[in-house]
């Protein structure tokens, strides 16, 4: 479950915290991009890896879970998980916020199955469409980004542009 903070410590910044998010010990917004746990796991070459958002796309999540279960080797499923520290109503807003994360390209849905290589197929299956929603329409629904916009609009704008470029580059890389 990826909440992008250390949830069990009250929302501390971590390597999983995204660029520009405010969290404990990152009061001026985190200055680096979050680590890509999926890419790290895929680099081993023998790990099934999927990234899902259960509430936004349950069919893709179920497909990934079934494939991970059937895979003869280690499997890792990284699931988008809303957190109270994000400042959204988890009961009311988490589905639409997950959908916005996917539409903006912030959160990619994919499945990486090393067994497909032996079949002459691409092991990476990108299940996300190309970004179709402006990133600010996703991030500024959450306090962790909204707070920086209020406290330091110039820094928020700088991080927004960096994030926009990162999202476009990452989508192109994953699609390739």
């Amino acid at each position: 479950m990826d909440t992008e903070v250390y949830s069990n410590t009250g929302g501390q910044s971590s390597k999983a915290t995204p660029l520009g998010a405010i969290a404990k010990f990152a009061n001026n917004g985190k200055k680096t991009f979050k680590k890509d746990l999926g890419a790290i796991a895929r680099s081993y070459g023998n790990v099934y890896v999927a990234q899902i958002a259960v509430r936004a796309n349950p069919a893709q999540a179920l497909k990934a879970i079934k494939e991970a279960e059937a895979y003869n080797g280690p499997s890792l499923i990284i699931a988008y998980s809303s957190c109270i520290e994000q400042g959204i109503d988890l009961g009311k807003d988490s589905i639409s916020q997950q959908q916005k994360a996917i539409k903006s390209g912030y959160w990619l849905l994919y499945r990486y199955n090393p067994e497909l290589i032996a079949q002459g197929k691409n092991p990476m299956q990108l299940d996300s469409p190309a970004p179709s929603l402006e990133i600010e329409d996703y991030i500024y629904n959450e306090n962790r980004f909204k707070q920086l916009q209020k406290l330091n609009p110039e820094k928020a704008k700088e991080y927004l542009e960096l994030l926009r470029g990162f999202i476009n580059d990452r989508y192109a890389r994953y699609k390739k």
Side-chain angles (χ1 to χ4, degrees):
M1 305 299 275
D2 189 352
T3 63
E4 300 187 320
V5 294
Y6 285 129
S7 298
N8 61 338
T9 60
Q12 269 179 249
S13 175
S14 73
K15 290 180 183 175
T17 303
L19 175 79
I22 287 183
K24 288 181 184 173
F25 309 119
N27 294 333
N28 291 319
K30 185 159 175 270
K31 297 175 182 159
T32 58
F33 293 102
K34 71 179 275 186
K35 67 180 173 184
D36 188 339
L37 183 61
I40 295 167
R42 289 190 315 270
S43 73
Y44 286 94
N46 69 331
V47 180
Y48 177 94
V49 183
Q51 193 160 283
I52 65 174
V54 175
R55 299 195 78 192
N57 192 329
Q60 185 267 351
L62 185 58
K63 186 172 188 173
I65 292 166
K66 285 180 177 180
E67 288 177 357
E69 180 64 27
Y71 180 70
N72 186 22
S75 296
L76 172 66
I77 297 177
I78 305 162
Y80 180 107
S81 184
S82 301
C83 174
I84 195 71
E85 291 294 328
Q86 294 168 345
I88 60 170
D89 182 325
L90 297 179
K92 185 179 107 186
D93 298 326
S94 68
I95 293 173
S96 66
Q97 191 62 359
Q98 282 191 19
Q99 291 168 338
K100 289 175 184 174
I102 294 163
K103 287 179 184 175
S104 69
Y106 180 87
W107 188 263
L108 293 180
L109 303 177
Y110 66 83
R111 294 166 292 117
Y112 177 85
N113 187 343
E115 290 178 339
L116 295 177
I117 296 169
Q119 299 171 21
K121 297 178 182 174
N122 187 344
M124 175 63 97
Q125 304 299 309
L126 182 60
D127 297 322
S128 284
S132 62
L133 180 73
E134 292 297 326
I135 186 61
E136 55 266 42
D137 293 336
Y138 162 71
I139 65 172
Y140 292 137
N141 291 323
E142 298 185 2
N143 286 342
R144 60 191 178 144
F145 297 107
K146 226 182 326 190
Q147 289 173 357
L148 183 62
Q149 189 183 35
K150 289 178 185 174
L151 296 171
N152 191 339
E154 295 81 24
K155 184 58 74 177
K157 184 176 180 180
E158 176 188 334
Y159 287 157
L160 177 67
E161 291 309 312
L162 286 171
L163 186 57
R164 189 185 322 277
F166 171 79
I167 285 169
N168 291 330
D169 291 346
R170 181 186 59 187
Y171 186 82
R173 190 173 63 251
Y174 275 53
K175 186 175 180 180
K176 185 178 178 186

